[in-house]
Amino acid sequence: MRALLLLILLFAVGAASAYYLRDDNGYVLVSWGHWMVETSVVGMLAGLVALLVVALVVVRALSAGFQLPGTVREGLARRRAARRHRALVRGTLLWLAGRAERAETTLEKELPDDAAEAACHHLLAARAAEAQGQGTRSEHYLERAALADDAVVGEAVTLMRADQAIAGDDLEGARAALESLRERNPSHPRVYPVLAGVLVAQQRWRDAFDLLCTAEKARGWSEGQWREITARALAGALGECLRIEEARQLWSRVPAVLQKDADCEGHYADALLRLNDEKGLMAVIHKALERRWAPDMVRRFLRAEPPDNVAALASVEQWLQRHGEQPELLLAAAHTCRRNRLWGKARSYLDALLAQAPSAEAHYEYGQLCGATQQPEEARQHFEAGLKLALAE
C-alpha cells in the first residue's frame, strides 16, 4: 500500500512538472566518459522517476527473498496451529456426541506446542478414556496435563481426579484432592459444594458442619443447595451429641438464617427430646409456633414430658388462639388437660377433635382418658376404634 501511494505521488509530481515546464522544457546534458545524454528537464524527471520505481521494485524483491524462509516457516506454523485447533474442536464435538473412542484418538493425534493448550487436549482425552472405563489411560493423560506450569490446569486436574475418586467410591481420595485444592484456591466455585457432599457421604458430620458454616457466601451453590446440605450435616452432628450442653453449643454456631429454618429447628428439637432437655425443647417449640404453624413441633410436644403441666396447658391454649383449632392442637390440649386431671375439659377437646378429624391418636388419647376416669368399657371401645384406624392406614 505504501509503495503504491509513493508511486502515485511520483507520477503526480511528474505531471505537475510537465505542466509548469510546457512553455520552456529546459535543457539537460549528461556526459560520462565517451557517453553523452542530452534531454529536456521533463525527460530527466521522468527518467529519475522510472529509475526510482525500478530501485523500489528491486529492493522489495530482495527483501522478500531474504524473508522467504521465515515467511514459509510462519505459514507452516499457521497451518499446523489451524490443524491442531480443528483437532480440538472435532475431538470436543465427538466427546459431546458420545463417541469417546474417536474423541480420544483425535485429541491426542495433533498436540499443540504450547503446554497449556496441549493440557486441554489431555484433559478432554482423559474424560474420553474414563468414559470407556480406561482408568489407567485416563490417569496417564492427567499426569501429562499436570506437567503444564499453569494454575488453572492444575485445578482442572485436581477436580477431575476428585470426580474419578467419587465415581470409584474412593471418598477419602476425593476428600484429600479437594482439600488440597481448597488450600491453593479457597474461592474456587466447586470446592465447597463437592467437598461438603463428600464429607456428608462419609458421615463426617462435624467436619461437614464446620465447613458449611463458613461457606454460605461461597460461589458454586445452586439454589437451596447450601441450606439443604447444611441442614443434613446439622442433623447428623446433633445426632452425635451425647450431652445437652454439647447440642446447645452446636446450635449456637448455626447461621442465623438457618436457626429460623423449619427443618433445622426440627433437628435441634429432636436432639433436645432425645437428650431429655424438656425445658430447652419447650423454648424451641414456643419460638417455632410464634413464627408459623408447625404441626411437627406439636407432635414433638406430645412426646415430651413438660416440667410444668400447668404452664404447658397455658402454652397450648395460647397456640389455639394463635393458630385456631388445628387437629394437632386439639389433641395436645386434651393430652395436657388429662395430665392436669381436667377430665371434662379434656373430653370436650377430644369430642371436637373426633368430630373434625378422627384418628388413631385421638381414640388412643380418649381411651387413656376413659381409663383414668374409671370407664373401662368406653376405653375399650376407643382403643378398638383407634386400632382399626391404625390398621387401615
Side-chain angles (χ1 to χ4, degrees), residues 165-375:
I166 292 171
D169 289 330
D170 181 13
L171 296 179
E172 187 58 29
R175 186 191 66 80
L178 291 165
E179 288 285 8
S180 70
L181 179 56
R182 184 162 72 112
E183 290 177 3
R184 298 199 304 270
N185 186 1
S187 63
H188 194 285
R190 280 202 66 200
V191 166
Y192 286 99
V194 180
L195 180 56
V198 169
L199 292 172
V200 167
Q202 289 183 297
Q203 297 188 358
R204 299 177 63 154
W205 306 117
R206 292 295 182 94
D207 291 339
F209 179 75
D210 292 341
L211 175 74
L212 289 161
C213 281
T214 62
E216 178 185 0
K217 305 206 180 286
R219 296 178 298 159
W221 297 107
S222 60
E223 184 177 358
Q225 184 185 15
W226 175 79
R227 188 208 66 80
E228 181 181 348
I229 197 169
T230 304
R232 187 177 174 190
L234 174 64
L238 286 169
E240 293 177 345
C241 292
L242 301 178
R243 299 188 307 277
I244 294 173
E245 188 58 34
E246 190 179 358
R248 288 179 177 175
Q249 288 178 356
L250 194 65
W251 180 250
S252 67
R253 295 178 51 214
V254 174
V257 66
L258 290 185
Q259 289 195 0
K260 298 178 182 179
D261 180 80
D263 291 338
C264 293
E265 271 187 329
H267 296 321
Y268 184 44
D270 287 337
L272 296 178
L273 183 62
R274 177 176 58 83
L275 296 170
N276 299 317
D277 183 7
E278 310 294 349
K279 184 177 179 180
L281 175 62
M282 291 300 297
V284 172
I285 293 173
H286 269 294
K287 285 184 180 179
L289 289 171
E290 283 177 2
R291 284 194 288 267
R292 62 185 177 277
W293 168 234
D296 288 343
M297 285 296 185
V298 180
R299 295 188 190 98
R300 292 183 178 95
F301 170 82
L302 287 168
R303 292 163 54 195
E305 296 287 339
D308 185 343
N309 286 319
V310 176
L313 179 58
S315 297
V316 174
E317 290 175 342
Q318 181 183 354
W319 300 336
L320 280 167
Q321 291 178 358
R322 182 184 293 272
H323 301 291
E325 292 189 350
Q326 301 288 346
E328 293 84 356
L329 285 178
L330 290 173
L331 181 60
H335 176 77
T336 310
C337 286
R338 180 173 63 80
R339 293 175 66 89
N340 281 285
R341 305 178 68 82
L342 300 174
W343 314 123
K345 203 169 183 180
R347 185 178 290 271
S348 66
Y349 281 127
L350 287 169
D351 288 338
L353 174 58
L354 288 175
Q356 181 187 138
S359 64
E361 293 83 359
H363 281 291
Y364 176 79
E365 183 62 37
Y366 219 139
Q368 293 284 83
L369 175 63
C370 292
T373 55
Q374 307 300 318
Q375 295 174 299

Side-chain angles (χ1 to χ4, degrees), residues 16-39:
S17 300
Y19 176 77
Y20 285 112
L21 296 174
R22 66 184 184 277
D23 296 329
D24 185 6
N25 290 335
Y27 178 79
V28 176
L29 177 65
V30 178
S31 177
W32 183 55
H34 299 291
W35 297 91
M36 183 178 295
V37 177
E38 184 178 340
T39 183

